[in-house]
Amino acid sequence: MTDAASGASATRTYDLIVIGAGPVGENVADRAVQRGLTAVIVESELVGGECSYWACMPSKALLRAGSALRAARAVDGAKQAVTGDVDVAGVLRRRDTLTHSWNDSSQVEWLQGAGIDLVRGHGRIVGEKRVSVTSADGGVTELIARHAVAVCTGSSALLPDTPGLAEISPWTSREATSAEQVPESLAIIGGGVVAAEMANAYRDLGASVTLVVRGSLLGGMEPFAGTLVGDALRERGVTLRLGTEVTEARREGDTAELTLSSGETVRAAEVLVATGRLPRTDDLGLESIGLEPGTWLEVDDTMRVHGSDWLYAVGDVNHRALLTHQGKYQARAAGDVIAARATGGTVDDAPWGTHVATADHDSVPQVTFTDPEVASVGLTEAAAQKAGRRIRTLDYDLSWVAGASTFSDDYVGTARAIVDEDRQVLIGVTFVGSEVAELLHAATIAIVGEVPIARLWHAVPAYPTLSEVWLRFLETYGRPTA
């Protein structure tokens, strides 16, 4: 494997060129190489991508200490041993350990072991199956693909065109997860996953936090999710301004001032914007192949871009499901099908049915690592109704499950299951509560596997665990005839 970072112009040929060395690009290349192709990855930043250094891993490191401390304080006998608050230096130190202090040498070693070449620099498509890579010192490497080019460049934070907002140099998720100091106060614009998680994390780290949300908190989820998370944030001292938006921003000295549509003014040392994502395709050379720069790339279920027989777009960049695990799932499909097509086969030659990413449509699992956590998969009640499904909604208070009483002295949580009445299978499940993330995969299996309600009666949950909620779902539904 070569790691080309500089030098004079050179031309290399591979079976597959992957632009972007995040988890998605790594998996596309790895699957193709495992099936006999040669592959090169092009990366302008760090091998390992957004998730490893600025998203999933550092954000969870920032969140864990506070949730662990609250868990201990919720159990008599343990709470007496808790004598202090979160140690900020320790949290940041652990965050740095998980991100390898933004050093990607271990990820590069993995590429070497997997037989994948790396070219560092900014890659641009310059024609059919051709990519030009410019390194930091101006050296150019021309890459030619025998079979396919996979765009795995991900997404970047959206900055609204609110007057004055750009001029105050706001944080995005990158600055929030990599900050070396905790500001005295933080205003967060947005009400989605990033906004809710960072409000949770920075309040635990000692900042005064105000959350400004145009609509409702966690609006795309079941309504009770935003309600329970919002209640918990308020209890811990976070100020929520719901149903309002920022109309103007300015900075006076060290303080940012946000004017809200409600007429209020929010002041904070730092401002985090978490209002959505944009595709990282603006400087990718798409115009050279008749596509519009800066747009999401539409693909079929094999991740091949519509209208092309050689270009693939995998992960966030195709806008199907902006989640690392879904991107990696897509990557396995894409790598397998690229290899199958390259060797004269069809998509059906890919192993284990991995050649199509059908789970992206209505079986996407997601965890919001607030406290309480929100774990969901499939359709919400509103989405199922909008899709015209004949459904039945099953709600259950998680605090009534025996396992919850052993977990915490004052457990608060809610669970919802959506049943497709025509097929008597689950099509959506949402859990809200402490440590519910580990309940999610069982729900995902039930939905993807289309396990009939009648069969779920024979999947017996252990006692006393939170998983006993599955039995409560079934009892609420009533045993169907089979």
Side-chain angles (χ1 to χ4, degrees):
M1 192 210 87
T2 58
D3 179 352
S6 61
S9 179
T11 300
R12 303 178 191 173
T13 300
Y14 294 86
D15 293 322
L16 168 66
I17 301 169
V18 178
I19 307 176
V24 174
E26 290 175 334
N27 274 270
V28 174
D30 187 42
R31 295 293 278 223
V33 168
Q34 286 185 36
R35 301 200 66 197
L37 302 191
T38 59
V40 61
I41 285 183
V42 177
E43 178 54 55
S44 61
E45 294 185 296
L46 296 176
V47 175
E50 200 80 9
C51 183
S52 297
Y53 304 105
W54 300 287
C56 317
M57 299 306 291
S59 66
K60 304 314 165 284
L62 294 176
L63 287 158
R64 180 57 184 165
S67 62
L69 194 60
R70 276 186 295 278
R73 286 175 171 162
V75 179
D76 195 13
K79 64 184 179 183
Q80 289 81 359
V82 179
T83 59
D85 292 323
V86 167
D87 182 80
V88 174
V91 172
L92 299 182
R93 187 166 58 245
R94 184 168 184 265
R95 186 271 316 270
D96 292 350
T97 298
L98 290 180
T99 60
H100 300 278
S101 296
W102 292 272
N103 183 309
D104 66 357
S105 58
S106 62
Q107 299 270 28
V108 173
E109 288 176 9
W110 180 86
L111 286 183
Q112 293 172 335
I116 302 166
D117 278 7
L118 170 66
V119 176
R120 291 190 184 271
H122 180 72
R124 299 185 84 255
I125 298 170
V126 293
E128 182 172 331
K129 301 180 185 177
R130 299 183 68 93
V131 174
S132 180
V133 185
T134 304
S135 65
D137 68 356
V140 177
T141 302
E142 302 291 344
L143 301 175
I144 300 172
R146 297 186 185 92
H147 301 291
V149 174
V151 175
C152 307
T153 49
S155 62
S156 57
L158 167 67
L159 187 66
D161 57 359
T162 303
L165 188 59
E167 286 71 29
I168 68 170
S169 300
W171 281 4
T172 68
S173 55
R174 280 198 169 196
E175 288 77 23
T177 56
S178 62
E180 296 182 1
Q181 301 290 332
V182 175
E184 180 179 340
S185 54
L186 177 66
I188 302 176
I189 305 172
V193 172
V194 171
E197 288 187 349
M198 289 300 96
N200 204 127
Y202 273 88
R203 184 68 194 104
D204 287 346
L205 293 171
S208 171
V209 177
T210 301
L211 199 54
V212 180
V213 186
R214 182 173 58 182
S216 58
L217 187 63
L218 300 177
M221 301 180 185
E222 296 287 8
F224 61 83
T227 298
L228 290 176
V229 171
D231 288 347
L233 288 173
R234 289 189 186 95
E235 185 178 333
R236 294 199 287 275
V238 174
T239 300
L240 270 64
R241 294 287 181 260
L242 305 181
T244 189
E245 57 186 321
V246 178
T247 58
E248 185 181 1
R250 60 186 176 276
R251 186 174 285 278
E252 295 290 339
D254 294 332
T255 302
E257 295 186 359
L258 305 178
T259 302
L260 308 187
S261 56
S262 62
E264 298 173 275
T265 298
V266 173
R267 295 176 176 84
E270 296 290 352
V271 175
L272 165 61
V273 177
T275 55
R277 307 290 292 179
L278 292 171
R280 295 184 66 182
T281 61
D282 54 322
D283 191 20
L284 192 60
L286 293 182
E287 65 279 5
S288 70
I289 53 173
L291 297 176
E292 184 179 348
T295 59
W296 304 102
L297 297 176
E298 296 185 7
V299 297
D300 61 21
D301 282 347
T302 69
M303 303 298 109
R304 189 160 62 179
V305 175
H306 293 317
S308 174
D309 63 358
W310 59 273
L311 184 64
Y312 293 74
V314 194
D316 281 14
V317 75
N318 62 37
H319 206 233
R320 287 166 64 106
L322 277 66
L323 297 162
T324 298
H325 49 274
Q326 290 301 120
K328 292 167 71 173
Y329 162 71
Q330 295 174 11
R332 293 189 289 270
D336 285 348
V337 78
I338 288 169
R341 286 168 171 159
T343 54
T346 67
V347 294
D348 294 324
D349 295 324
W352 298 99
T354 58
H355 52 283
V356 287
T358 53
D360 286 341
H361 300 303
D362 53 18
S363 303
V364 176
Q366 179 175 5
V367 178
T368 303
F369 290 92
T370 45
D371 190 2
E373 293 176 340
V374 182
S376 61
V377 59
L379 301 178
T380 62
E381 181 182 51
Q385 290 172 339
K386 184 177 181 180
R389 306 288 186 93
R390 190 172 71 89
I391 63 170
R392 183 176 172 189
T393 300
L394 312 175
D395 288 332
Y396 199 81
D397 187 330
L398 277 173
S399 70
W400 298 345
V401 177
S405 63
T406 67
F407 183 85
S408 168
D409 294 343
D410 190 22
Y411 195 94
V412 176
T414 298
R416 170 171 287 179
I418 310 297
V419 181
D420 183 323
E421 287 285 73
D422 292 327
R423 295 182 295 142
Q424 289 193 336
V425 297
L426 294 176
I427 57 174
V429 177
T430 297
F431 303 108
V432 181
S434 296
E435 304 289 345
V436 295
E438 299 305 328
L439 292 176
L440 187 58
H441 196 54
T444 304
I445 291 171
I447 291 173
V448 174
E450 299 182 337
V451 181
I453 295 291
R455 287 300 301 161
L456 286 177
W457 276 96
H458 303 286
V460 182
Y463 179 89
T465 67
L466 283 176
S467 290
E468 214 178 1
V469 68
W470 286 98
L471 177 57
R472 305 307 169 216
F473 278 153
L474 294 167
E475 290 172 341
T476 302
Y477 185 76
R479 184 165 183 164
T481 57

